[in-house]
Amino acid sequence: QVFDRMRYAWPVDVDADGDLDLVILTQVEKYIGVFENIIADVPGGAAPIAGTPFVYPFHLVASAAYQSTVPVLVDMDSDGDMDWLFSSGSPESLFWIPAVTAPSAFYEPSPQQVMFDDSLAACGSARGSFACLAANIGRTSRCVRDTLVLPARTFGCRLEAHFPIAHEIVLDGRAGASFDCTPLSAPTEVGGVVFQVVSGGYLELQHLAVTKTGSARTSLLGSPGLRADGAGARLVLTNVTLTRAVSDTSVNPNRVLAGYGGALVATSGASLRVVDTVVSDAVAAVTGGALYVADAESSATLINSMIVECTAKVSGGAISVSSLGTVFLHNSTLARNTAAAGFGGGLFVDV
């Protein structure tokens, strides 16, 4: 690769793989970048023969770097890899570009199956605590969709607010994992909550049993126990059973949509996909005994699923849809659901 008026070239092991790469700074193109040394990847590890072409991959770090200083490679954030630090004369700015990840600045992550780790400090003797689960979720990638494999265990829930999901993750409970949101200190009270998927997040629950979700005590978006809110938020349930969920006004009555959607809610452009799942005995104090969908671009899709024996005190004993929300039912069953006020025992649509 040819550049016009190279200002600087510096051999340094950028990707910590044991060989020297070549950092460059060009004057005309105003590029800062690096040629990756891939000799070690050549069969036999042999160096190129003199006089024969050999192409080193070029990685552009920054462009339009006018009157830049020589870049400094230093581990600014103490994460074990080299970051880029340089200044520019026009505009007069200081730039810090964190490296992608250790051990390689050119590392491209791929989805991994992450095994549950009980040795984390948050677990201690309370291995079924939500804090232990949250610490393990923190071990998953923010770049790709990892699968966290849950052990055969019943996890508790959260009382104050949902756990927010802003990245992509799958929770696999096929070993026998479940959630019981019954408050330990007051078993007769409304249960706690689990997850809220926010804009850009993706959460898939697989092979799980979730019982007695209820309402968060302090959050404005405190119910129901599982919800997705915001453009691009996606919540997927695959082979899940949801039982005895409640969304009412007895706890934190000032929260938004109190009493809407006994078990599940999708709003503000979020999507919900429910596959091979059963929702039963859920109750909503207002509308949507099992599910409430609201706002344009919000949607719920049910495939090979059942909503049975759920209740809403006003409308939509099973499902309630409003404000241009959308629901798709494919080979799914709504049975023995009740709207106490008589408005749509199975399905209520308010346009």
Side-chain angles (χ1 to χ4, degrees), residues 23-232:
V23 174
I24 66 158
L25 173 63
T26 70
Q27 181 168 333
V28 175
E29 295 88 356
K30 304 179 183 63
Y31 285 168
I32 294 176
V34 58
F35 285 99
E36 180 187 0
N37 189 341
I38 59 170
I39 293 300
D41 299 326
V42 176
I49 300 172
T52 61
F54 191 85
V55 178
Y56 294 87
F58 179 70
H59 303 274
L60 180 65
V61 175
S63 60
Y66 183 68
Q67 293 182 346
S68 293
T69 58
V70 172
V72 175
L73 274 75
V74 61
D75 188 4
M76 290 288 292
D77 48 9
S78 301
D79 65 349
D81 54 24
M82 305 295 279
D83 308 306
W84 297 75
L85 187 67
F86 60 93
S87 66
S88 173
S90 179
E92 295 181 352
S93 303
L94 181 66
F95 297 91
W96 169 32
I97 302 178
V100 178
T101 186
S104 173
F106 314 120
Y107 174 69
E108 294 184 5
S110 59
Q112 302 292 321
Q113 189 176 75
V114 180
M115 304 308 294
F116 202 87
D117 186 357
D118 282 323
S119 68
L120 301 180
C123 297
S125 60
R127 295 183 176 181
S129 68
F130 199 97
C132 180
L133 173 63
N136 275 275
I137 290 175
R139 298 169 51 232
T140 61
S141 174
R142 295 305 187 267
C143 300
V144 294
R145 187 184 303 169
D146 281 349
T147 297
L148 178 62
V149 180
L150 304 180
R153 182 176 305 162
T154 298
F155 291 94
C157 303
R158 291 163 62 96
L159 286 180
E160 301 306 317
H162 294 80
F163 186 82
I165 299 293
H167 66 295
E168 298 193 3
I169 183 173
V170 177
L171 299 184
D172 187 345
R174 74 183 65 223
S178 62
F179 288 89
D180 186 347
C181 294
T182 304
L184 296 178
S185 59
T188 61
E189 289 187 3
V190 172
V193 295
V194 273
F195 300 106
Q196 179 195 20
V197 186
V198 298
S199 293
Y202 174 97
L203 171 64
E204 182 171 354
L205 304 180
Q206 297 179 348
H207 312 287
L208 282 164
V210 183
T211 185
K212 207 177 179 182
T213 59
S215 301
R217 278 34 178 182
T218 59
S219 171
L220 286 177
L221 295 174
S223 64
L226 285 165
R227 61 183 301 140
D229 303 282

Side-chain angles (χ1 to χ4, degrees), residues 236-275:
V236 180
L237 278 62
T238 303
N239 194 16
V240 172
T241 59
L242 287 171
T243 59
R244 301 172 62 197
V246 175
S247 176
D248 68 3
T249 57
S250 65
V251 178
N252 188 12
N254 295 321
R255 67 186 186 279
V256 178
L257 299 180
Y260 287 67
L264 299 161
V265 158
T267 70
S268 304
S271 66
L272 171 67
R273 184 177 176 86
V274 180
V275 182

